[in-house]
Amino acid sequence: MTDQKSLATDGTRITLRLTPAQKDLLRRAADVAGMPVSAFVLQTAAQAAEQLLGDPSPAALVKGVEHLPTFTKPARQRWESLPADIRQRLLSNVWCAHCSHETTITNFTGTLKGGDLLLVGKCAECQGDVARVIEGS
């Protein structure tokens, strides 16, 4: 079952079809950002468009992403300080103990732990728990 949410800005109507989990995720992410959900969705879409136009390579399109990542504010600052190509490489180079090989992390969250950035999420193949530590400088 999907929910629909309409947003009106400058005469433009946007309809989102979201699962309850996606709707909850957007609410949580908007809360972390301190913004209304509609403003968060529009800002995130604009940022994604800017990034895609800045790097139109196929690698810029992240396939299999099921939701927007939720980060603590310090973790987001650290993550966004990394170049986009490095972030993509880090996301696609995560070890899955269940699959016993390198995979891509999906549905991840980010926090700072002891000066290191910790990404916790799911394996793109088996949906098992995976994590990626990005050591602080």
Side-chain angles (χ1 to χ4, degrees):
M1 183 171 151
T2 63
D3 287 330
Q4 292 186 359
K5 176 103 175 162
S6 295
L7 310 171
T9 303
D10 297 333
T12 302
R13 177 178 220 149
I14 300 170
T15 302
L16 303 173
R17 288 184 172 81
L18 304 170
T19 64
Q22 290 169 327
K23 191 174 184 179
D24 181 58
L25 178 70
L26 276 177
R27 278 194 199 123
R28 289 187 356 237
D31 286 345
V32 168
M35 304 170 71
V37 172
S38 58
F40 178 79
V41 168
L42 291 173
Q43 179 180 340
T44 304
Q47 288 172 342
E50 287 175 3
Q51 182 179 6
L52 181 60
L53 292 174
D55 180 10
S57 66
L61 300 172
V62 180
K63 294 184 170 117
V65 174
E66 296 176 17
H67 76 271
L68 299 171
T70 302
F71 285 85
T72 61
K73 187 172 181 176
R76 177 154 310 277
Q77 289 172 337
R78 173 77 62 83
W79 181 247
E80 290 178 350
S81 73
L82 299 171
D85 62 319
I86 300 297
R87 291 193 306 247
Q88 183 62 37
R89 202 169 349 161
L90 291 168
L91 294 176
S92 62
N93 182 16
V94 177
W95 183 259
C96 177
H98 183 265
C99 295
S100 297
H101 61 77
E102 181 182 300
T103 188
T104 298
I105 187 171
T106 63
N107 299 340
F108 59 94
T109 60
T111 57
L112 283 183
K113 298 284 184 183
D116 298 331
L117 177 58
L118 175 63
L119 304 179
V120 177
K122 300 290 182 184
C123 169
E125 294 181 37
C126 74
Q127 300 304 309
D129 294 333
V130 294
R132 173 77 192 203
V133 176
I134 302 162
E135 295 178 357
S137 350

